[in-house]
Structure formats: structure tokens, C-alpha cells
Amino acid sequence: MIFVAKPPPEVAAAMWRTVARNGLDSSTLSPQDNWHQTLSDRYGDTPEVRQKMLRAGACVRAQACTLVLNRIRDGVHKEQGKNTIHWSFRARGRPHCFDALLVAVRQALYEEGLATETGHTPHSTISYWAPTRLGPTRMDPIAWTLDELLLVVGGNGKSYSYETIGRWPLQPVPPDPSNTQLRLF
């Protein structure tokens, strides 16, 4: 089980167009419905842990956050004892709201007795078994607003997928007071 945010259909479609424009081997991509932003560590799916994570999700108080995906990068990772190549969409910078969301998730898990060890970066892995390293990729920036926290459990054998078992809206971002214009009458 893991807390994630998933791209809405219009963002996922823009991501797919970018993959196609760059000629990436679609046969090695994760199913599009699995593309996500990780917001917590993974935990085993036991009845006790599931209840703790459901309670934690209900306690998260954080604002929505917009990431700007601006490139696809590769990386080499150790998977099952051998090196594999991952392809991931990466975001420009590290918005403060993203770190605040991670802190809120981490705090809610901590209060339920679940430790979170790893940090997370703004990205969405689209291939865990890519065939080659990547050169430069071309893309228009894609704005993705994380506005919902999902608790998912992964599985389903060979066609790995995520089942959503909890969802909570994030708080809308308040209007920027510097953008308001005062009218004096």
C-alpha cells in the first residue's frame, strides 16, 4: 500500500503525447493508469496497516500543489539483483507546497505508528524496465495539479495495477493576494 497522486486524464494524455513525440518504446511502459506521484513509503497490506493508513489519509491536511513536468529522464536502479533502466517524467524545481504535502503525509503516518524513511522527488516513473538510456527529450511543459490524495494497493499478478482503497481531496490553493486588484470608489 502506498499514498500517491495520479494525473487526471488531460495530464496523462499530454504525457502520452510527449512519449509518442519522443519515439519511446511504448511496449516497455507501465500501464498509463499506473503513472503516479509517490507520496509515501510502501507498506504491506495487512488489515491493521490498512486501517492505520485509511485513518492517516483522513487526517492529512495539505493544499493542492502544481508540478510542472518539463523533461523525461532515465536512471539506473537495482531491481531484483540487477541493474534496470527507469524512465521518468521530472518536474522543474521542488515547490514548497510539494514538501508541505510530504510533511503532512509523513506526520499523519507517524501519528498512526508508521515510519516513513525515504524522501520523494517530484516525478512520475513511466517505465521500470526501459530498453535503453535516453538522450535529450523534447516536450512542452505539462502542469499537473496534485489535488487528491489516494491510498492504493498494488498487485494483480503479471498485469500489475493499483486498486484505489481511499481518496481524500487536498485543500484548494488560496488565491494569491498579490493578484487581486483593489477598487476604490
Side-chain angles (χ1 to χ4, degrees):
M1 289 186 303
I2 188 171
F3 283 117
V4 301
K6 286 190 171 185
E10 64 277 6
V11 171
M15 293 166 75
W16 184 256
R17 284 190 301 274
T18 300
V19 164
R21 185 179 308 132
N22 282 280
L24 301 182
D25 181 357
S26 63
S27 70
T28 64
L29 297 180
S30 300
Q32 192 173 6
D33 191 49
N34 286 355
W35 296 358
H36 65 275
Q37 169 62 60
T38 303
L39 299 171
S40 76
D41 288 348
R42 293 183 184 273
Y43 299 89
D45 185 13
T46 67
E48 179 186 9
V49 172
R50 185 178 282 222
Q51 288 307 308
K52 287 180 176 189
M53 291 190 77
L54 286 166
R55 284 192 303 266
C59 290
V60 171
R61 299 291 177 261
Q63 290 182 341
C65 178
T66 299
L67 304 178
V68 179
L69 305 175
N70 67 346
R71 65 198 181 282
I72 301 174
R73 300 274 318 260
D74 63 20
V76 177
H77 299 269
K78 197 140 204 97
E79 300 278 340
Q80 300 172 357
K82 62 182 183 178
N83 288 335
T84 64
I85 301 169
H86 291 192
W87 291 339
S88 301
F89 277 91
R90 294 288 177 170
R92 174 185 8 212
R94 191 176 175 97
H96 293 293
C97 59
F98 179 76
D99 287 332
L101 174 56
L102 292 179
V103 167
V105 169
R106 181 176 287 139
Q107 182 63 34
L109 288 167
Y110 175 79
E111 289 175 9
E112 289 295 331
L114 298 171
T116 298
E117 297 296 324
T118 59
H120 303 284
T121 60
H123 78 282
S124 181
T125 302
I126 59 172
S127 179
Y128 292 90
W129 304 94
T132 62
R133 301 291 307 257
L134 289 176
T137 55
R138 296 170 288 132
M139 68 178 287
D140 296 324
I142 301 169
W144 172 14
T145 299
L146 312 181
D147 60 2
E148 183 177 47
L149 176 67
L150 302 173
L151 177 58
V152 298
V153 60
N156 200 16
K158 282 191 162 200
S159 61
Y160 192 87
S161 63
Y162 291 109
E163 175 190 358
T164 300
I165 58 174
R167 63 180 353 120
W168 303 269
L170 296 175
Q171 299 166 1
V173 177
D176 182 353
S178 66
N179 287 340
T180 60
Q181 295 182 2
L182 297 176
R183 293 175 130 190
L184 300 175
F185 295 95

